[in-house]
Amino acid sequence: MPVRVLVVDDERLFVEALELILGTDGRLEVVGHALDGQKAVAMARELDPDVVLIDLSMPGVDGFDAIQAMLVDEPERRIVVLSGSADPDDIANAREAGARDYLLKDEIAGNLSERVIEVGTR
């Protein structure tokens, strides 16, 4: 069974790129995407993905609030933050909110699929 992934980022082009990257790995299946945190929470409830790959900085409901809302519904939900921010406070706050992993957007070229699979199969 492939690891089912929900991709969340407010940049449509980046979401499409992530879907292409993840879609090339047969161990992963992108089950949907959301362009904001509010939609991400609704889609996580509806689709019940194995992993939610989410950005922190989004208009409206940001990634921190979306993570917390998703974990209220499903405390064991596996969430990986994919952010452009290397700020130690963002990393600590994401972990505190419940993210299981934190990746920088400039690090995804070589290991994104592996990290998502690792979190999705723990």
Side-chain angles (χ1 to χ4, degrees), residues 2-122:
V3 173
R4 301 172 67 248
V5 182
L6 173 63
V7 176
V8 184
D9 195 291
D10 62 326
E11 296 290 334
R12 182 178 297 278
L13 187 58
F14 189 71
V15 167
E16 291 173 4
L18 288 175
E19 289 177 326
L20 286 172
I21 291 167
L22 297 172
T24 63
D25 190 317
R27 301 170 296 172
L28 297 169
E29 176 188 1
V30 177
V31 295
H33 69 264
L35 301 174
D36 63 63
Q38 182 176 356
K39 180 79 170 172
V41 172
M43 290 186 76
R45 287 179 184 142
E46 177 186 334
L47 300 172
D48 193 27
D50 298 315
V51 176
V52 177
L53 187 60
I54 188 168
D55 188 19
L56 294 177
S57 179
M58 295 181 288
V61 177
D62 67 13
F64 297 110
D65 291 338
I67 290 168
Q68 291 173 331
M70 284 186 246
L71 292 175
V72 165
D73 292 338
E74 178 57 52
E76 296 303 312
R77 187 171 315 280
R78 297 177 201 116
I79 300 172
V80 175
V81 170
L82 181 58
S83 177
S85 172
D87 183 324
D89 289 338
D90 285 343
I91 296 168
N93 290 337
R95 296 260 188 207
E96 186 176 308
R100 297 204 183 182
D101 205 351
Y102 193 103
L103 302 170
L104 295 175
K105 288 182 176 181
D106 62 359
E107 297 176 340
I108 65 171
N111 66 358
L112 178 62
S113 293
E114 293 303 322
R115 297 281 289 272
V116 170
I117 290 165
E118 180 183 319
V119 170
T121 57
R122 281 189 210 156

